[in-house]
Structures are given as structure tokens and as C-alpha cells.
């Protein structure tokens, strides 16, 4: 297993377009997390899944954002009608249990630029 | 709401020297976990060290150690014998015992001078 994989690594899109990112967690990790990191800031929590169930969503996650983990394996994060303020690094992490008890492993992120 | 504050946006240290990165946090919880994460340039974030709030003993991982002051809500990271590979963004982070999400500070960029 090569760790948490995120695709694409970079995405440039025009304002108003929809984009979708994919995260493949480490096998058998039942937790999967999405974070957003803007320049000069630490990662901000967006949402997380335990298996296929989405257990928590941040208030940062507007109606234009939706995340899925249909079979409890990979996850997708979709942003509809992108805005320039959506430009950021989107990080995915997975863990075998709660992050307070186990180590979270992060992917390299998808950098989104909205022009 | 819990917050994590890192007051040093950037720091530099000479190779082989010791450096301390500062972190304070705010919480009304009595039980929680604290972490330091390292994010090297263009590479994924990795866990450096972890501290349970109920443990008085400071955590240590090889050259990395913490100074955990619960009453002061302070959690600093000391890196001894700094190496070029230590150059990275370092994030202080918090997880409440009843939560399953990490709250990060803004980070400190550490430069290692050869």
C-alpha cells in the first residue's frame, strides 16, 4: 500500500464550473477526512466518513460542496459553481480509527485554482 | 470553540542546533489530545509527536520532544540536533476526546541554515 492517494494533484478551472476530486485512502482505514488549506493557514476540517457514513460536516462546507464515500473505500469531493474563494489545497486523510487514538495519514492534496 | 495559536510564522535555526516552536490553545475541555504535524515542501503531512492531556509526562520521539503545560495551555515542540530534513511547516494541532476531527494552528515555517 502506497499511502493516501489524491487525484488530480492540480486542477485549474474557470469560475462557475464544477470540479470533482478523488481520494483513495489506505486499505482498511475506516475513517476518511477532508480538509481545506489556504495559503498561510493551517488545514481546516470539512467533513469526515466512518466507512460509507458521513458523520460530520463543517459549517465551511456550503451547499455547493458535496462529499461521498459510496462503498466505504474511495471518496469524492465535488464543488459546484466554483468561486475564486474556493482556490485552495484540498487534503484527504485516512485513519484506522478515531484520530485521537490512531495516526491520521494524509495525501499530498489537490491544489485547486479557480480563474 | 477550541482554537490553536502559533505565534511564530517563521523561524530559522543553524544545523545541529536546538529550536523550540511555540503553541498555545484554548479549550474548556479537561481531556484532549495534542499533536505536532510536519508538512515538508510539496509532500504530505506527517505526524511528529502526540501528547495525551491526562499524562503529565512530556512525550518524546527521538530528537523531538514537547513541553506540555496544561494549566498554561501551552504545548511547545523542541527539535534537538536540527537537520536539513527538518525544514518544513510545523502545525500544532488539537483533538477533543469526544471529537474525531483535528483542529490545526496556522503553522510555523522552519528553516534550517547549513
Amino acid at each position: 500500500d502506497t499511502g493516501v492517494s489524491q487525484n488530480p494533484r492540480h486542477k485549474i478551472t474557470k469560475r462557475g464550473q464544477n470540479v470533482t476530486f478523488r481520494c483513495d485512502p489506505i486499505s482498511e482505514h475506516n475513517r476518511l477526512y477532508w480538509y481545506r488549506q489556504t495559503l498561510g493557514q493551517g488545514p481546516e476540517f470539512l467533513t469526515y466518513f466512518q466507512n460509507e457514513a458521513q458523520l460530520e460536516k463543517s459549517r465551511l462546507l456550503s451547499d455547493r460542496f458535496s462529499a461521498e464515500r459510496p462503498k466505504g473505500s474511495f471518496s469524492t469531493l465535488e464543488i459546484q459553481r466554483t468561486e475564486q474563494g474556493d482556490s485552495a489545497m484540498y487534503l484527504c486523510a485516512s485513519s484506522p480509527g478515531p484520530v485521537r487514538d490512531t495516526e491520521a495519514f494524509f495525501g499530498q492534496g489537490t491544489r485547486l485554482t479557480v480563474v | 470553540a477550541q482554537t490553536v495559536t502559533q505565534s511564530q510564522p517563521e523561524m530559522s535555526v543553524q544545523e545541529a542546533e536546538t529550536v523550540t516552536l511555540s503553541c498555545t490553545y484554548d479549550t474548556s475541555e479537561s481531556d484532549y489530545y495534542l499533536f505536532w504535524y510536519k508538512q515538508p515542501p510539496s509532500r504530505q503531512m506527517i505526524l511528529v509527536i502526540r501528547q495525551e492531556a491526562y499524562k503529565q509526562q512530556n512525550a518524546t520521539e527521538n530528537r523531538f520532544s514537547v513541553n506540555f503545560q496544561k494549566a498554561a495551555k501551552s504545548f511547545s515542540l523542541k527539535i534537538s540536533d536540527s537537520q536539513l530534513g527538518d525544514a518544513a511547516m510545523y502545525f500544532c494541532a488539537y483533538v477533543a476526546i469526544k471529537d474525531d476531527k483535528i483542529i490545526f494552528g496556522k503553522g510555523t515555517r522552519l528553516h534550517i541554515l547549513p
Side-chain angles (χ1 to χ4, degrees), chain A residues 45-106:
Chain A
F45 170 80
L46 293 178
T47 188
Y48 90 94
F49 294 84
Q50 181 176 340
N51 299 312
E52 64 274 12
Q54 188 173 18
L55 295 188
E56 187 173 347
K57 292 194 294 186
S58 165
R59 288 172 292 177
L60 294 174
L61 214 63
S62 76
D63 292 344
R64 298 183 297 105
F65 287 70
S66 63
E68 293 183 341
R69 193 182 184 197
K71 295 181 181 178
S73 56
F74 73 92
S75 175
T76 58
L77 178 68
E78 181 183 18
I79 308 175
Q80 296 182 327
R81 305 181 303 281
T82 51
E83 302 172 357
Q84 286 190 320
D86 296 331
S87 296
M89 176 76 84
Y90 290 84
L91 297 173
C92 176
S94 72
S95 63
V99 289
R100 61 180 178 271
D101 299 325
T102 60
E103 183 173 348
F105 293 84
F106 284 80

Side-chain angles (χ1 to χ4, degrees), chain B residues 44-57:
Chain B
Q44 59 261 57
M45 187 139 33
I46 57 174
L47 178 65
V48 174
I49 199 163
R50 176 177 182 269
Q51 175 83 41
E52 294 94 337
Y54 64 86
K55 287 188 178 179
Q56 292 186 333
Q57 187 172 7

